[in-house]
PDB file of all heavy atoms in Angstrom:
ATOM      1  N   ASP A 144      33.629  22.245  13.218  1.00  0.00           N
ATOM      2  CA  ASP A 144      34.011  21.322  14.288  1.00  0.00           C
ATOM      3  C   ASP A 144      34.411  22.034  15.576  1.00  0.00           C
ATOM      4  O   ASP A 144      34.554  21.412  16.608  1.00  0.00           O
ATOM      5  CB  ASP A 144      35.196  20.449  13.838  1.00  0.00           C
ATOM      6  CG  ASP A 144      34.800  19.548  12.685  1.00  0.00           C
ATOM      7  OD1 ASP A 144      33.643  19.108  12.679  1.00  0.00           O
ATOM      8  OD2 ASP A 144      35.637  19.310  11.799  1.00  0.00           O
ATOM      9  N   ASP A 145      34.599  23.341  15.480  1.00  0.00           N
ATOM     10  CA  ASP A 145      35.152  24.022  16.648  1.00  0.00           C
ATOM     11  C   ASP A 145      34.110  24.371  17.707  1.00  0.00           C
ATOM     12  O   ASP A 145      34.447  24.769  18.800  1.00  0.00           O
ATOM     13  CB  ASP A 145      35.920  25.285  16.217  1.00  0.00           C
ATOM     14  CG  ASP A 145      35.071  26.179  15.313  1.00  0.00           C
ATOM     15  OD1 ASP A 145      34.028  25.692  14.852  1.00  0.00           O
ATOM     16  OD2 ASP A 145      35.462  27.339  15.089  1.00  0.00           O
ATOM     17  N   SER A 146      32.839  24.234  17.375  1.00  0.00           N
ATOM     18  CA  SER A 146      31.819  24.575  18.365  1.00  0.00           C
ATOM     19  C   SER A 146      31.222  23.307  18.962  1.00  0.00           C
ATOM     20  O   SER A 146      30.659  22.488  18.252  1.00  0.00           O
ATOM     21  CB  SER A 146      30.713  25.398  17.700  1.00  0.00           C
ATOM     22  OG  SER A 146      29.580  25.416  18.521  1.00  0.00           O
ATOM     23  N   PRO A 147      31.337  23.124  20.273  1.00  0.00           N
ATOM     24  CA  PRO A 147      30.810  21.904  20.895  1.00  0.00           C
ATOM     25  C   PRO A 147      29.289  21.807  20.786  1.00  0.00           C
ATOM     26  O   PRO A 147      28.722  20.734  20.803  1.00  0.00           O
ATOM     27  CB  PRO A 147      31.247  22.023  22.358  1.00  0.00           C
ATOM     28  CG  PRO A 147      31.559  23.473  22.570  1.00  0.00           C
ATOM     29  CD  PRO A 147      31.955  24.031  21.241  1.00  0.00           C
ATOM     30  N   GLU A 148      28.621  22.974  20.677  1.00  0.00           N
ATOM     31  CA  GLU A 148      27.150  22.947  20.586  1.00  0.00           C
ATOM     32  C   GLU A 148      26.672  22.573  19.183  1.00  0.00           C
ATOM     33  O   GLU A 148      25.519  22.271  18.974  1.00  0.00           O
ATOM     34  CB  GLU A 148      26.545  24.320  20.943  1.00  0.00           C
ATOM     35  CG  GLU A 148      26.518  24.624  22.432  1.00  0.00           C
ATOM     36  CD  GLU A 148      27.813  25.258  22.894  1.00  0.00           C
ATOM     37  OE1 GLU A 148      28.353  26.080  22.141  1.00  0.00           O
ATOM     38  OE2 GLU A 148      28.284  24.905  23.984  1.00  0.00           O
ATOM     39  N   GLU A 149      27.579  22.646  18.237  1.00  0.00           N
ATOM     40  CA  GLU A 149      27.194  22.430  16.835  1.00  0.00           C
ATOM     41  C   GLU A 149      26.764  20.975  16.624  1.00  0.00           C
ATOM     42  O   GLU A 149      27.503  20.044  16.932  1.00  0.00           O
ATOM     43  CB  GLU A 149      28.399  22.747  15.941  1.00  0.00           C
ATOM     44  CG  GLU A 149      28.064  22.877  14.479  1.00  0.00           C
ATOM     45  CD  GLU A 149      27.281  24.144  14.169  1.00  0.00           C
ATOM     46  OE1 GLU A 149      27.499  25.173  14.823  1.00  0.00           O
ATOM     47  OE2 GLU A 149      26.452  24.068  13.257  1.00  0.00           O
ATOM     48  N   LEU A 150      25.555  20.802  16.111  1.00  0.00           N
ATOM     49  CA  LEU A 150      25.090  19.443  15.830  1.00  0.00           C
ATOM     50  C   LEU A 150      25.655  18.995  14.486  1.00  0.00           C
ATOM     51  O   LEU A 150      25.876  19.817  13.601  1.00  0.00           O
ATOM     52  CB  LEU A 150      23.557  19.418  15.773  1.00  0.00           C
ATOM     53  CG  LEU A 150      22.833  19.583  17.113  1.00  0.00           C
ATOM     54  CD1 LEU A 150      21.358  19.869  16.886  1.00  0.00           C
ATOM     55  CD2 LEU A 150      22.998  18.360  17.986  1.00  0.00           C
TER      56      LEU A 150
END
Side-chain angles (χ1 to χ4, degrees):
D144 295 325
D145 52 347
S146 164
E148 283 87 39
E149 193 71 33
L150 288 167

